[in-house]
Amino acid sequence: MADVAPETLLARAIADILVTGGLGVWRKDGTAYTADEHGLFIDQPMPTTVRQLTLVTPLRPVRDSRTIVLYRAQLVTRLVAEKANMAGIRARADRIAGLFDHREYTPPILGISFSTEYSRLYFEPDSQNQVMVTQSFEFRGHTPSPNPGTTP
C-alpha cells in the first residue's frame, strides 16, 4: 500500500466529520449521487453534474517551527438557492464552522491540537440559482514522523 500524504489524510478525516455531522454523503467508491444528496468530494476539479456539494481541497501545509505544522484545507460548498436566498448557504457555512472553528483535537490525527476557520467568502447566485461559499481552515499539528514509532 502506498503512503498517503498527510494532507490527504486530513481531507478524508474532514469528510468523515462532515458525514457524521449530517452535512453530506461521501461515496468513496465513486458511485453517482442522487439529486437529493449533498455530495462530498476530495481534491478534484469542481464537479459539474452534482448541484449540491462540498469539495474538500487540502492546501499546502506551512511549517510553523521545527516540529509544528499548520495543515490547511479549503471547503467549497455549493447549494441551489431558493428564490435567490443566501440564508441556506450561510446556515450551512455556520454548521461547518461549528464542527471545525476553535476546536481542540479536531480531527484527531496528525497530532492536531487546534483548528480554526481563517477565511470565508460567499458567492451570489449564478444563472442557475446556485450559491457558493469557500471556507479555509487551519489545523495546528505536528511534523509527521519519518518512521512509525519514532518521534520527530
Side-chain angles (χ1 to χ4, degrees), residues 122-144:
Y122 293 99
F123 295 87
E124 295 292 326
D126 63 11
S127 61
Q128 296 176 347
N129 213 28
Q130 297 175 101
V131 293
M132 287 183 25
V133 61
T134 61
Q135 294 173 268
S136 298
F137 293 92
E138 180 177 87
F139 304 87
R140 181 175 289 278
H142 292 285
T143 303

Side-chain angles (χ1 to χ4, degrees), residues 41-61:
F41 298 88
I42 294 178
D43 201 18
Q44 66 181 52
M46 178 65 78
T48 57
T49 57
V50 179
R51 295 188 71 195
Q52 302 195 107
L53 63 93
T54 298
L55 174 63
V56 180
T57 304
L59 302 174
R60 187 175 182 179

Side-chain angles (χ1 to χ4, degrees), residues 6-27:
E7 304 87 76
T8 302
L9 291 173
L10 175 62
R12 290 176 183 170
I14 290 169
D16 283 336
I17 290 170
L18 292 173
V19 168
T20 301
L23 290 169
V25 176
W26 182 23
R27 297 275 173 85

Side-chain angles (χ1 to χ4, degrees), residues 10-89:
L10 175 62
R12 290 176 183 170
I14 290 169
D16 283 336
I17 290 170
L18 292 173
V19 168
T20 301
L23 290 169
V25 176
W26 182 23
R27 297 275 173 85
K28 298 175 188 181
D29 60 0
T31 57
Y33 293 92
T34 63
D36 63 334
E37 290 179 319
H38 186 93
L40 296 176
F41 298 88
I42 294 178
D43 201 18
Q44 66 181 52
M46 178 65 78
T48 57
T49 57
V50 179
R51 295 188 71 195
Q52 302 195 107
L53 63 93
T54 298
L55 174 63
V56 180
T57 304
L59 302 174
R60 187 175 182 179
V62 176
R63 191 169 291 285
D64 192 35
S65 69
R66 191 175 138 256
T67 59
I68 302 297
V69 176
L70 300 176
Y71 296 101
R72 302 175 302 141
Q74 184 177 65
L75 282 66
V76 178
T77 301
R78 180 172 67 202
L79 296 177
V80 177
E82 295 181 20
K83 301 176 187 169
N85 184 348
M86 293 292 290
I89 196 74

